[in-house]
Amino acid sequence: MHVVSYALFLVALFQCRFLAFAILDPIDFLALQSIRKSLHDLPGSNYLASWDFTSDPCNFAGVYCASDKVVALNLGDPRAGSPGLTGRIDSAIGKLSALAELSIVPGRIYGSLPDSISQLKGLRFLAISRNFISGNIPVTLGRLRRLKTLDLSYNQLTGGIPRSIGTLPELTNVILCHNHLSGSVPPFLSHGLTRLDLKHNALSGSLAPYSLPPSLQSLSLSWNRLTGPVDKLLSRLNHLNYLDLSLNQFTGPIPGRLFSFPITNLQLERNSFSGPVQPTEPVTIPTVDLSHNRLSGHISPMFSTVQNLYLNNNYFTGQVPASFVDRLLSASIRILYLQHNYLTGIEISPTAEIPLRSSLCLQYNCMVPPVQTACPLKAGKMKTRPAFQCKG
């Protein structure tokens, strides 16, 4: 009796163990096998060692299941000791019909992004950054109507940003920076979009006034070839807390109300913005960089409340407001760069001592700097503009 009972117990135990890892949907099981064959650990890693298909795939590193389906793949998770993966993303990824999250940490994944990803109708999070993904962004990603985060940054993607991406209704984060993308920036229609980062690409063309939603909080388009005015667009984005449009070819005025937005860092340098700059109230943005543009007129005293202010290499004229001197001497202003303009004076005593933690540069204006201060090397050695440049 006891022998029979023990034998039945062993059979039951075997069945339980078998069922424990056999309940995964067969399609998902086969898809994971294909994905595993196309990926390899980088030297020094054994991340994929747990992918032993004689055990439960839902216990594999980076695999998360609900019921009998894979719902998340976080491949090469550094918390599991992986320095990253190499290989390609197999098209079988599209067979994981319940997948809601797909991420691959920095490594050496190469090849193109498979079109089959567009079959993942429930995908909400797609992040494959700091790898070597090349080719175009598939137009078919526009079918992922539930996608909230798209992060393909720091890869080798080429071609344009598909207009279909901009139509995704639930997008909150789009991060495509540090690629080789070209063409124009498509309109983004999601009313929940909070972050758009397209810096360090080769994007060109202009931005329409209604091409970005007012929900944006962080916008980075620096190091591109974008052109045209943006004053009407920026005036609408009153939730911005970070704005970097530097190193483009934007033109036209900078709207005064922009300086009242809750921005912590405003980078508009090295463009072709022109005209006067007139904030409507004292500027509380800690860092404002408007250098290397074509801005003109008098410097507004509203800027004296900025901690780090870069107005150099423009066409500003007239006297430096007295409020700047007071705040500079009290070390409330840390950086005040006014070099390479057409300023005619500043009311500061030649014996005034600039606090050590503050920097002032006045050289190459239409005046002799009343105080000698250290300037950046790029400011050159000439203290004053030639007189013929300062007439009128």
Side-chain angles (χ1 to χ4, degrees):
M1 269 309 271
H2 292 295
V3 173
V4 173
S5 298
Y6 183 67
L8 291 173
F9 169 75
L10 289 177
V11 170
L13 181 61
F14 174 79
Q15 289 176 334
C16 288
R17 287 182 175 177
F18 178 78
L19 289 173
F21 64 81
I23 59 172
L24 184 66
D25 181 279
I27 294 176
D28 284 27
F29 186 90
L30 293 173
L32 287 177
Q33 284 188 319
S34 296
I35 292 167
R36 171 63 185 89
K37 288 177 182 177
S38 66
L39 296 175
H40 311 281
D41 282 313
L42 285 171
S45 171
N46 59 354
Y47 176 80
L48 290 171
S50 69
W51 285 47
D52 176 4
F53 286 91
T54 63
S55 62
D56 182 2
C58 294
N59 290 329
F60 293 176
V63 178
Y64 303 87
C65 302
S67 186
D68 64 339
K69 306 291 285 184
V70 177
V71 295
L73 276 182
N74 304 133
L75 300 178
D77 190 337
R79 292 171 295 182
S82 173
L85 302 173
T86 185
R88 294 175 176 268
I89 304 171
D90 194 274
S91 61
I93 197 85
K95 299 293 185 181
L96 301 175
S97 57
L99 199 66
E101 180 176 324
L102 172 59
S103 64
I104 302 178
V105 302
R108 293 187 173 274
I109 301 296
Y110 55 88
S112 59
L113 208 60
D115 271 329
S116 60
I117 289 178
S118 64
Q119 299 170 19
L120 305 173
K121 303 301 182 184
L123 197 65
R124 294 192 296 270
F125 185 89
L126 176 58
I128 307 173
S129 64
R130 296 180 186 273
N131 278 279
F132 292 85
I133 301 294
S134 58
N136 293 349
I137 299 174
V139 175
T140 52
L141 291 188
R143 298 174 186 169
L144 303 177
R145 308 306 288 176
R146 298 182 64 186
L147 193 66
K148 292 182 177 294
T149 292
L150 176 63
D151 183 356
L152 302 176
S153 58
Y154 293 89
N155 279 290
Q156 297 178 357
L157 293 165
T158 54
I161 302 172
R163 292 182 70 86
S164 60
I165 300 294
T167 68
L168 295 176
E170 297 188 23
L171 276 181
T172 56
N173 299 284
V174 177
I175 309 166
L176 302 175
C177 59
H178 290 270
N179 278 286
H180 307 292
L181 298 170
S182 57
S184 60
V185 177
F188 284 87
L189 306 180
S190 171
H191 295 295
L193 189 65
T194 57
R195 181 182 179 187
L196 180 61
D197 189 346
L198 306 178
K199 66 177 175 283
H200 282 267
N201 279 289
L203 299 167
S204 59
S206 58
L207 302 174
Y210 295 93
S211 60
L212 301 177
S215 56
L216 267 182
Q217 297 176 18
S218 176
L219 176 61
S220 183
L221 301 175
S222 63
W223 289 89
N224 279 287
R225 303 167 187 169
L226 297 165
T227 58
V230 289
D231 52 319
K232 292 181 180 178
L233 173 67
L234 294 178
S235 294
R236 296 175 52 253
L237 306 181
N238 58 357
H239 289 97
L240 284 175
N241 57 47
Y242 180 85
L243 178 61
D244 187 354
L245 304 183
S246 60
L247 290 119
N248 279 285
Q249 299 163 28
F250 289 119
T251 58
I254 298 173
R257 68 187 303 260
L258 175 67
F259 299 99
S260 64
F261 293 170
I263 298 173
T264 56
N265 197 322
L266 178 60
Q267 305 285 336
L268 300 180
E269 71 270 19
R270 295 186 183 275
N271 279 282
S272 295
F273 290 116
S274 60
V277 187
Q278 299 174 332
T280 55
E281 56 191 61
V283 180
T284 58
I285 303 171
T287 297
V288 174
D289 193 341
L290 307 181
S291 64
H292 294 271
N293 277 287
R294 299 177 180 177
L295 301 169
S296 59
H298 289 204
I299 294 175
S300 170
M302 297 297 181
F303 282 118
S304 64
T305 46
V306 176
Q307 293 178 18
N308 305 297
L309 182 63
Y310 302 84
L311 298 179
N312 52 287
N313 296 81
N314 277 287
Y315 297 93
F316 288 113
T317 56
Q319 289 267 329
V320 178
S323 54
F324 278 83
V325 177
D326 295 338
R327 292 185 59 81
L328 182 69
L329 296 179
S330 66
S332 298
I333 294 178
R334 298 297 179 85
I335 297 175
L336 181 58
Y337 281 179
L338 302 175
Q339 68 269 22
H340 287 258
N341 279 286
Y342 294 82
L343 300 170
T344 53
I346 180 172
E347 294 184 7
I348 187 171
S349 170
T351 59
E353 293 188 9
I354 308 298
L356 292 176
R357 54 184 176 177
S358 298
S359 297
L360 170 67
C361 187
L362 294 169
Q363 71 186 50
Y364 210 68
N365 277 285
C366 293
M367 62 173 169
V368 176
V371 289
Q372 299 300 314
T373 55
C375 286
L377 292 176
K378 291 182 179 180
K381 296 181 178 180
M382 294 185 66
K383 299 296 183 184
T384 306
R385 277 190 179 275
F388 74 90
Q389 294 184 4
C390 298
K391 292 180 180 179

